[in-house]
Amino acid sequence: MKIMNQPFSGQLGDCLIELLSSSDYHTLNIAVAFAKNSGVLRIKDSLSKFRGRGGVVNVYVGVDLGGTSYEALTALLLHSDTLNVVHSEKSQTFHSKVYQFCGENDGLLVIGSHNLTGGGLWTNFESSVHIPMSLKNAGECAIAKNVADYFEALAALDASFMPITSQEEIDKLLREGYVTKEVASLVRRASEAKKNSLRERLFGNGAPANLPLLASIEKEVSPPAVSATVEAATIDAGDGNQTIWFETREMTGGSRNILDLSKRSLVVNGDPSGTPFDLGEAKFMRGGVEFFGLSPTATDQIANITINFEGEDYFGNKILYPEGNNANGTWRLQIKGVNSSGQKITDAFRAEGEAHYLVRKVLTFTKVQGDYFYMSVFQESDIEDFKEASSILARNGSTSNARFLGLL
């Protein structure tokens, strides 16, 4: 048995990834209060490989206090064998944090404070006890039975226990307000933070703790072809919640799936000084393409990025600067990736029930790392909330009538 005090003596996310690669276990049971994309996207490939070897993943998650997102449930539905939501309509929070690995003869039980989020698995101050389990030890067998009894008790909660078997059920939770999209929560928090920006800071920045790189994503996506003479400024993804948003208006392309990305942007509010967007010019900053790791002036660059949409990874979304008859003086993001099953992201857009799903929307990209982003789509009517919450608000171009973009 050992105690993990994150981040000082390890990070649970790294531990889970290692355990999922072990042939010693055939089942993983997870019970957590909160789940976010920042955690789920970083272990989903390990979950898939575990299940590909015959492993079973069962997840029990709460939806209290806005702690679980629509995107996380969508991803978990794709990467678990059973997904269940536990919720009481009265003031009773589902607050468990249990990770149980089961094997033929041995197991491991982790109980502590770690939620299924980037913070809970890597960057927060968290503590947990890790208990090896052996079928040869009567005391450990009794503990394993207590855990099994707990999961059975949750399943017996009737109306407070909801098995999730389809995306439609997750969509209903979103419509009824039980979960929200992660960027919507980020907009709300950013607005509150701006109101409190003048508050005196009484504390420091805590202990260093980093989110992991996603090696599998890096292998599947071709790296950007960057000019040898110009280096793109890089952006630290921090806790995985760095987000840019774009007003789309009409879009271009046959499927209305091409997003213009400016070379430089007219600043409306905020100060880009000291950020990667700093252009050194009054009223202007580097364009929206900068967020994706390309230098706006190095127009010979081409990048292929991975976009996670509705829980699926779509590879090969190309960013380029058109020349010749197709040139319009701006970068373009061609949102036309394909997932591992061969489905096009444009087919996923059509499945949303609109002929041109991205037209007249607010499109957001949250950086998970390097060339991997998750995308969310919001109604055009939400744009005032996005403008209010943005730390920097600009035009996606150098004129005052260009579309809006913002950094959250």
Side-chain angles (χ1 to χ4, degrees), residues 27 30 52 58 63 68 132 146 148 173 204 218 224 227 235 254 280 284 302 353:
T27 301
I30 300 173
N58 304 304
V63 293
T68 292
N146 285 338
L173 290 173
E218 292 177 343
S227 166
I235 302 173
F284 289 95
I302 295 175

Side-chain angles (χ1 to χ4, degrees), residues 46 63 93 100 147 167 184 199 267 270 280 330 343 368 371 382 393 399:
S46 296
V63 293
T93 301
Q100 183 191 32
V147 176
Q167 184 63 42
R199 183 180 62 185
V267 177
T330 190
Q343 181 193 30
V368 180
D371 51 11
D382 294 326
L393 177 65
T399 64

Side-chain angles (χ1 to χ4, degrees), residues 224-239:
V226 183
S227 166
T229 58
V230 181
E231 292 186 3
T234 58
I235 302 173
D236 182 3
D239 62 1

Side-chain angles (χ1 to χ4, degrees), residues 69-130:
S69 70
Y70 168 84
E71 291 89 347
L73 287 182
T74 297
L76 284 171
L77 180 64
L78 296 174
H79 297 287
S80 62
D81 293 275
T82 66
L83 174 61
N84 310 281
V85 169
V86 184
H87 177 68
S88 170
E89 295 290 359
K90 294 186 177 180
S91 299
Q92 186 179 34
T93 301
F94 181 68
H95 214 245
S96 294
K97 289 92 175 178
V98 177
Y99 299 83
Q100 183 191 32
F101 285 86
C102 302
E104 294 298 329
N105 299 307
D106 300 293
L108 180 72
L109 178 64
V110 178
I111 297 181
S113 61
H114 309 263
N115 277 306
L116 192 53
T117 65
L121 297 183
W122 278 283
T123 62
N124 287 351
F125 295 107
E126 308 280 3
S127 295
S128 54
V129 59
H130 298 218

Side-chain angles (χ1 to χ4, degrees), residues 19-20 22-30 50 54-58 98-110 131 133-135 143-145 147-148 151:
L19 291 167
L20 284 165
S22 171
S23 60
D24 293 339
Y25 308 112
H26 56 65
T27 301
L28 169 60
N29 298 313
I30 300 173
F50 180 74
V56 175
V57 177
N58 304 304
V98 177
Y99 299 83
Q100 183 191 32
F101 285 86
C102 302
E104 294 298 329
N105 299 307
D106 300 293
L108 180 72
L109 178 64
V110 178
I131 308 171
M133 312 293 290
S134 172
L135 293 179
I143 294 174
K145 184 179 185 307
V147 176
F151 291 130

Side-chain angles (χ1 to χ4, degrees), residues 2 12 55 60 67 76 114 117 208 223 226 228 246 260 287 305 321 364 369 383 395 398:
K2 71 173 185 178
L12 184 61
Y60 307 77
L76 284 171
H114 309 263
T117 65
V226 183
F246 297 90
D260 287 345
I305 66 171
Y321 191 86
T364 74
Q369 74 169 40
I383 195 168
R395 295 284 185 170
S398 58

Side-chain angles (χ1 to χ4, degrees), residues 20 44-55 216 219:
L20 284 165
K44 69 176 180 62
D45 288 344
S46 296
L47 292 174
S48 292
K49 291 175 183 176
F50 180 74
R51 296 175 68 211
R53 297 194 306 272
S216 59
K219 290 177 182 177

